[in-house]
Amino acid sequence: MDGNIIITNLTNPPILFFLLGMGASFLRVDLEIPKSLAKFLSLYLLLVIGFHGGVELSKAGITLNIMRTIMVAIGASILTPFYTFFILRKKVKIHDAAAIAATYGAGSAVTFVTAANFLYSLNIPFGGYMVAAMALIESPAIMSGLYLYHVYNPQKQEKKSAQQAHAMREIFLNSSVYLMLGSLLVGIIAGEHGFTALKPFTSDIFKGMLSFFMLDMGIIAAKRMWELKANSLFLSCFALCIPLINAITIITLSYLLGISKGNCLLLCASCASASYIAVPAVMRLIIPEASPGIYIPMALGITFPFNIAFGLPLYFYIISKVLS
């Protein structure tokens, strides 16, 4: 692999701030981002990602190629929980297997943003509509995990209707998904004129806000990395291998379907990552007996750092060879 690709990614300011946050946690430096500010940064990123994607989608229009690319992402989000569940259930309890499987069926918005930043640095074009693909993979992954949980836990099917209704509402109206898709719709309606009007907010300060957010993510990731106890070797290997398997699958499909390099990398960022915000929030409601001390550290402490530091350059290297 060309070492310059890794260097380009590792010298990206948001990545450096992520490593700075991890270092602060490992060295026990008293550095902490207030929860209210961290939540604002998360909402800001979701809003800007969605809005920018909507603007780009309004310029590109709805084409067969765009729909095909989005369907690849949705298909991956449905199928990933199924094959990972049957790997996991050999080592962990059914409820934990379902929660982990759903987590890895969905994706990380921050990994997506980092991949987009990476492409910007290399001047590789990609479709702004890719944000729609990322936003649409959350609910299918959750529903697949929930289906598996109920099928293999018949005694758990007797949930109260109120709880089920609340769970379904969380699946389809999760705040993160709602904001991203809502911002996408606003971007479609506002178009390029709306993007120009909001440029200082949606463009000029974006990398600075992302760097601040990544600093917080580094602190949290380092703290939660050590929460894995039982089956730590198996789960750690799972958290590293599943992204690679999914990325190879996406790259193969991109080759067969003629998807561009930039869009392929963003598909990898979406489908070869894991959710540590939206899905865990829903899993705590739907499968409360599943341990957040397992699926959150796997996603945030292992898969996320691996992807942003080494995974994205590796995926892009393979993409460059396959889709050249």
Side-chain angles (χ1 to χ4, degrees):
M1 185 192 307
D2 185 356
N4 289 330
I5 297 177
I6 295 179
I7 293 173
T8 298
N9 197 41
L10 290 178
T11 55
N12 206 340
I15 304 299
L16 292 174
F17 276 106
F18 176 82
L19 298 175
L20 185 67
M22 291 192 76
S25 184
F26 287 139
L27 296 173
R28 299 183 180 181
V29 177
D30 186 20
L31 177 62
E32 185 176 0
I33 307 301
K35 290 184 178 180
S36 57
L37 179 57
K39 184 175 182 179
F40 167 75
L41 291 170
S42 299
L43 294 174
Y44 169 82
L45 291 178
L46 292 173
L47 186 150
V48 174
I49 293 168
F51 182 73
H52 186 263
V55 171
E56 293 296 326
L57 191 57
S58 71
K59 292 192 291 185
I62 303 297
T63 66
L64 178 61
N65 183 55
I66 290 175
M67 292 305 300
R68 185 170 52 194
T69 303
I70 291 175
M71 291 309 297
V72 168
I74 294 176
S77 73
I78 294 173
L79 296 177
T80 296
F82 280 88
Y83 92 83
T84 55
F85 176 81
F86 292 107
I87 296 173
L88 289 160
R89 67 189 294 251
K90 297 177 181 180
K91 291 288 186 178
V92 300
K93 296 177 180 179
I94 296 297
H95 47 260
D96 286 323
I100 297 170
T103 299
Y104 278 82
S108 160
V110 182
T111 304
F112 181 91
V113 173
T114 305
N117 239 356
F118 179 68
L119 291 172
Y120 277 130
S121 68
L122 296 176
N123 294 316
I124 304 294
F126 59 88
Y129 58 84
M130 289 304 299
V131 69
M134 180 191 63
L136 291 171
I137 67 176
E138 298 279 1
S139 293
I142 293 170
M143 287 186 282
S144 293
L146 181 60
Y147 172 81
L148 290 164
Y149 174 66
H150 279 292
V151 167
Y152 290 92
N153 284 271
Q155 69 275 19
K156 297 296 182 181
Q157 292 179 358
E158 299 179 0
K159 282 191 172 185
K160 295 179 181 179
S161 58
Q163 289 178 315
Q164 287 283 28
H166 196 129
M168 290 301 106
R169 179 178 176 81
E170 283 296 314
I171 291 174
F172 293 105
L173 291 177
N174 179 274
S175 59
S176 298
V177 177
Y178 178 82
L179 177 60
M180 189 175 292
L181 290 178
S183 299
L184 183 77
L185 180 60
V186 171
I188 292 173
I189 297 171
E192 194 166 6
H193 173 73
F195 183 78
T196 302
L198 291 179
K199 187 178 180 182
F201 179 74
T202 57
S203 180
D204 295 347
I205 66 170
F206 179 78
K207 282 194 176 182
M209 299 287 271
L210 175 61
S211 296
F212 216 148
F213 181 82
M214 293 293 279
L215 175 67
D216 184 47
M217 286 293 99
I219 296 171
I220 296 173
K223 286 181 178 178
R224 291 182 172 173
M225 193 178 294
W226 308 112
E227 292 182 22
L228 293 172
K229 295 178 182 179
N231 296 312
S232 58
L233 179 60
F234 167 77
L235 293 175
S236 297
C237 290
F238 177 95
L240 292 173
C241 292
I242 295 304
L244 292 171
I245 294 172
N246 287 351
I248 294 299
T249 302
I250 291 297
I251 293 170
T252 302
L253 288 173
S254 296
Y255 172 77
L256 295 174
L257 297 174
I259 296 173
S260 69
K261 289 183 182 180
N263 289 348
C264 180
L265 182 66
L266 292 181
L267 278 175
C268 288
S270 299
C271 302
S273 56
S275 174
Y276 50 82
I277 299 175
V279 174
V282 178
M283 286 297 111
R284 293 185 68 178
L285 174 68
I286 300 177
I287 313 178
E289 58 267 50
S291 173
I294 296 178
Y295 54 84
I296 292 179
M298 287 177 66
L300 186 56
I302 300 176
T303 301
F304 179 62
F306 168 75
N307 269 333
I308 65 169
F310 302 105
L312 294 178
L314 175 61
Y315 307 152
F316 185 75
Y317 174 77
I318 299 172
I319 289 168
S320 298
K321 296 297 183 182
V322 175
L323 303 183
S324 58

